[in-house]
């Protein structure tokens, strides 16, 4: 998950660089407010995500908005020194996540006292940030796909129509509740590999050929066939299918 990726990332950054703390946060549309989503502390303390942070309070809004790295070696010399001292931060370096020309997140590490961040540390944090953005994007896409699949399954199971999904080889990989009830077969017992036994022998070849042709050509299809209902009666059904591209 995204949370797991960020938790591992800030833990690695903090430990590798010997920082006092490390974290990741997301910025609002104006890049003035930071919402902390993951934190790590060298002393092992667990702190609940802080309230949204006003970057103007720390004099960072303009830098964050520009998408430039934030490097402060001694916050006591910063124009907003009091804010930094009150937060217990003596030095900080942060790398922005820039998407479509806008800074949307920050990965940072900080020290309780002044620290002269060298060019190698800054470069390594930049590389770490790039890897984090990649992993976060991948995890976000997987989460979105998982949620989409869950919504589809919930919608399909609430439909009175028979809904089924087959893979590119024609194997059934999902059937809804109405489908199982119609054929009188529990979901776990559905013939996932070969569903042709459900078809009337006189209709099977034509129906299967139309499905295979539609799969090969990645097009929609419509076909009729008789199928055996749970009570043993043969019933005509009209099937409609459309390709889904991943």
């Amino acid at each position: 998950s995204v949370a797991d990726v960020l938790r591992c990332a800030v833990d690695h950054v903090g430990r590798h660089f010997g920082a006092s703390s490390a974290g990741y946060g997301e910025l609002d549309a104006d890049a003035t407010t930071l919402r902390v989503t993951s934190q790590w502390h060298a002393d092992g303390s667990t702190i609940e995500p802080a309230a949204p942070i006003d970057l103007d309070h720390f004099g960072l809004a303009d830098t964050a908005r520009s998408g430039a790295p934030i490097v402060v070696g001694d916050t006591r010399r910063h124009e907003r020194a009091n804010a930094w001292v009150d937060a217990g931060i003596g030095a900080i370096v942060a790398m922005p996540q820039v998407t479509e020309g806008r800074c949307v997140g920050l990965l940072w590490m900080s020290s309780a006292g002044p620290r002269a961040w060298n060019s190698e540390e800054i470069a390594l944090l930049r590389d770490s940030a790039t890897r984090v953005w990649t992993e976060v994007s991948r995890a976000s896409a997987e989460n979105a796909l998982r949620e989409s699949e869950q919504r589809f399954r919930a919608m399909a199971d609430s439909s009175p129509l028979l809904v089924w999904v087959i893979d590119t080889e024609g194997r059934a990989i999902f059937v809804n509740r109405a489908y199982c009830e119609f054929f009188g077969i529990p979901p776990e017992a559905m013939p996932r590999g070969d569903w042709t036994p459900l078809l009337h022998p006189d209709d099977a070849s034509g129906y299967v050929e139309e499905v295979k042709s539609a799969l090969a050509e990645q097009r929609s299809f419509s076909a009729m066939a008789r199928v055996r209902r749970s009570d043993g009666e043969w019933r005509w059904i009209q099937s409609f299918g459309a390709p889904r591209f991943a």
Side-chain angles (χ1 to χ4, degrees), residues 65-143:
R65 196 176 294 113
S66 71
I70 295 169
V71 182
V72 182
D74 188 348
T75 58
R76 297 173 302 178
R77 300 177 182 277
H78 194 272
E79 60 180 4
R80 299 293 176 84
N82 289 340
W84 290 108
V85 172
D86 290 343
I89 298 175
I92 187 170
V93 57
M95 288 297 159
Q97 176 191 5
V98 179
T99 301
E100 297 181 351
R102 184 174 72 84
C103 182
V104 298
L106 289 175
L107 175 68
W108 73 87
M109 59 182 176
S110 65
S111 172
R115 176 169 171 172
W117 307 105
N118 61 51
S119 57
E120 182 179 354
E121 289 175 325
I122 295 172
L124 285 173
L125 183 62
R126 182 182 291 109
D127 290 342
S128 296
T130 298
R131 290 193 293 271
V132 170
W133 312 151
T134 300
E135 288 301 308
V136 166
S137 296
R138 179 191 58 77
S140 296
E142 290 177 353
N143 285 349

Side-chain angles (χ1 to χ4, degrees), residues 1-241:
S1 69
V2 172
D4 290 335
V5 169
L6 293 176
R7 189 180 303 110
C8 290
V10 298
D11 181 276
H12 173 75
V13 166
R15 294 180 187 279
H16 179 77
F17 291 100
S20 298
S21 64
Y24 176 83
E26 299 174 345
L27 288 107
D28 64 1
D30 296 329
T32 57
T33 302
L34 180 73
R35 183 175 65 85
V36 179
T37 56
S38 189
Q39 297 182 84
W40 171 89
H41 297 275
D43 61 8
S45 61
T46 56
I47 301 176
E48 292 298 321
I53 298 172
D54 180 4
L55 294 184
D56 275 326
H57 181 64
F58 293 91
L60 298 180
D62 289 341
T63 306
R65 196 176 294 113
S66 71
I70 295 169
V71 182
V72 182
D74 188 348
T75 58
R76 297 173 302 178
R77 300 177 182 277
H78 194 272
E79 60 180 4
R80 299 293 176 84
N82 289 340
W84 290 108
V85 172
D86 290 343
I89 298 175
I92 187 170
V93 57
M95 288 297 159
Q97 176 191 5
V98 179
T99 301
E100 297 181 351
R102 184 174 72 84
C103 182
V104 298
L106 289 175
L107 175 68
W108 73 87
M109 59 182 176
S110 65
S111 172
R115 176 169 171 172
W117 307 105
N118 61 51
S119 57
E120 182 179 354
E121 289 175 325
I122 295 172
L124 285 173
L125 183 62
R126 182 182 291 109
D127 290 342
S128 296
T130 298
R131 290 193 293 271
V132 170
W133 312 151
T134 300
E135 288 301 308
V136 166
S137 296
R138 179 191 58 77
S140 296
E142 290 177 353
N143 285 349
L145 178 60
R146 190 178 304 111
E147 292 172 359
S148 176
E149 290 290 344
Q150 290 172 347
R151 288 194 297 270
F152 165 76
R153 289 173 181 270
M155 178 186 68
D157 274 336
S158 66
S159 172
L161 302 177
L162 310 189
V163 179
W164 52 297
V165 179
I166 57 177
D167 62 16
T168 55
E169 301 300 321
R171 296 184 294 259
I173 56 177
F174 170 79
V175 293
N176 72 339
R177 183 179 294 110
Y179 190 106
C180 294
E181 292 174 350
F182 182 88
F183 289 108
I185 305 174
E188 62 275 10
M190 287 302 299
R192 299 301 173 95
D194 181 14
W195 40 264
T196 55
L198 302 174
L199 299 168
H200 192 285
D202 293 342
D203 304 330
S205 60
Y207 185 91
V208 171
E209 183 59 33
E210 175 61 16
V211 172
K212 288 183 175 180
S213 177
L215 286 171
E217 298 171 19
Q218 297 186 344
R219 61 169 173 82
S220 301
F221 81 92
S222 174
M224 290 188 68
R226 283 165 292 180
V227 295
R228 189 189 299 275
R229 200 170 56 186
S230 59
D231 59 4
E233 291 290 323
W234 291 103
R235 308 295 296 179
W236 283 100
I237 62 169
Q238 177 78 49
S239 297
F240 300 94

